Amino acid sequence: MQYLGRNVIERLARFGYGARGIVYCIVGGLALLAALGRGGRADDSESAIRWVLAGPFGPVLVGLIAVGLFGFALWRFVEGLTDADRRGTSPKGLVVRAAHIGSAAIYTGLTVTAGGLALGLGQARSGDGMQDWTAWLLAKPFGLWLVALVGLGVMAGGVAFLVKAATGKVTDRLKLGPEQCRWAKPVGQFGYAARGIAFLIIGGFFLAAAWHQASSEVKGLAGAFAALRAQPYGWALLAVVAAGHFAFGAFGLIQARFRHIDAPDIDETDDAVLKALRPSP
């Protein structure tokens, strides 16, 4: 069972990749069914978790998902702050590490949501959090520029996903042989391409919110799916991108098993974080 990890953070990270993978498999599967007119709903990660909650053993399964998402958020934070993936301090490396810390914040929020649902709290949606904080940001000095900057950042993330898919560098950090990469790489490329398209659309929503100074313009993954569905042959576009999100989830399950994770152990993490934060002499 050595592959489960050498230490607590590595085990949590692997559990986290698996939990995130399951969530996106559900997101993509439900959106694909909606595109094909077979039921389902083209919605976001929270809706996928609520779908699990409504099924057999829902609270228990959602509780496990919450633990997994916490592990993923923790790994992203450690990864970004301690440079566990050896990204370095080049401009590109620092941008990637900053993106990982941002990802940690997003998945921490999803962890809180999943945990609340598992405990029987927050059964009804309490508004759109993305629109709420966008409205808060727009009310600040230079707020519309900050919202536009967020939009450009999200779109840059989308471009990065698309470049990663196009170059085939999705399996670089996986401990797989050439034969295994032959089937794993196309799954990852398809998944990253779909995520890239979704990020470009979501980033565009932020730019629209800045242009119109209206937080109501901001939408998440569900809005991206709806925008695709509204295009000519939208059902086909939605079906392709939904299938891509299912592939992204499946690739997450592959990462849970095979990703190279060099995480500091739990009792070494604060030292690693302090070392990362300490200015160089």
Side-chain angles (χ1 to χ4, degrees), residues 142-159:
F142 306 105
L144 65 91
W145 296 105
L146 294 174
V147 171
L149 189 61
V150 170
L152 290 174
V154 173
M155 295 184 79
V159 171

Side-chain angles (χ1 to χ4, degrees), residues 116-175:
L117 290 171
L119 294 173
L121 307 173
Q123 295 294 327
R125 287 181 182 264
S126 56
D128 190 318
M130 191 180 293
Q131 291 185 358
D132 290 343
W133 69 255
T134 302
W136 176 84
L137 202 56
L138 284 171
K140 303 300 177 184
F142 306 105
L144 65 91
W145 296 105
L146 294 174
V147 171
L149 189 61
V150 170
L152 290 174
V154 173
M155 295 184 79
V159 171
F161 276 136
L162 290 171
V163 169
K164 194 168 185 177
T167 57
K169 293 182 178 180
V170 295
T171 55
D172 287 359
R173 296 184 182 274
L174 300 185
K175 294 180 282 188

Side-chain angles (χ1 to χ4, degrees), residues 28-124:
L30 291 176
L32 181 58
L33 289 174
L36 298 177
R38 303 285 183 175
R41 184 177 177 183
D43 217 319
D44 56 15
S45 302
E46 182 180 338
S47 292
I49 293 172
R50 289 176 182 274
W51 182 85
V52 174
L53 184 69
F57 309 106
V60 175
L61 295 177
V62 170
L64 291 173
I65 289 173
V67 173
L69 293 175
F70 167 77
F72 186 77
L74 177 64
W75 163 241
R76 279 300 198 219
F77 177 77
V78 171
E79 186 181 20
L81 211 52
T82 69
D83 196 18
D85 265 346
R86 308 293 187 270
R87 304 282 182 177
T89 54
S90 66
K92 179 182 177 181
L94 291 174
V95 167
V96 172
R97 290 168 63 185
H100 286 162
I101 293 174
S103 175
I106 291 170
Y107 281 100
T108 297
L110 194 56
T111 298
V112 172
T113 297
L117 290 171
L119 294 173
L121 307 173
Q123 295 294 327

